[in-house]
């Protein structure tokens, strides 16, 4: 049986204070569907192009548009 730790996950993220334009640049540049949003060392949500599709990305922050976590699983 595989674990979450074995998944090929890129170590990229944004924090709630980042601009939405930064998240958009990372999402498109890395070709990923979603980014984790970390507040310090704590995962607080995710952000994807779906959440920011109609947002003024130059002025809005990630924290205003993130999707809160529904469930957190252990890596093992």
């Amino acid at each position: 049986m595989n674990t979450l730790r074995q998944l090929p996950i890129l170590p990229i993220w944004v924090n709630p204070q980042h601009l939405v334009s930064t998240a958009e640049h990372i999402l498109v540049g890395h070709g990923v569907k979603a980014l984790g949003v970390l507040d310090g060392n704590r995962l607080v949500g995710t952000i994807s192009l779906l959440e920011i599709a109609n947002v003024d990305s130059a002025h809005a922050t990630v924290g205003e548009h993130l999707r809160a976590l529904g469930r957190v699983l252990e890596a093992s």
Side-chain angles (χ1 to χ4, degrees):
M1 174 186 249
N2 292 334
T3 65
L4 291 175
R5 184 171 282 135
Q6 294 169 313
L7 291 174
I9 298 173
L10 292 173
I12 53 177
W13 65 90
V14 290
N15 65 49
Q17 295 77 34
H18 276 122
L19 291 174
V20 167
S21 60
T22 300
E24 183 177 27
H25 182 77
I26 294 170
L27 287 160
V28 172
H30 284 285
V32 295
K33 295 185 182 213
L35 292 172
V37 180
L38 285 110
D39 190 4
N41 288 329
R42 189 171 64 95
L43 181 65
V44 294
T46 61
I47 190 104
S48 71
L49 292 175
L50 182 63
E51 281 86 35
I52 59 176
N54 296 313
V55 173
D56 179 6
S57 62
H59 297 99
T61 64
V62 168
E64 298 169 325
H65 300 284
L66 64 83
R67 179 181 296 189
L69 297 177
R71 181 179 296 188
V72 177
L73 303 173
E74 295 296 323
S76 58

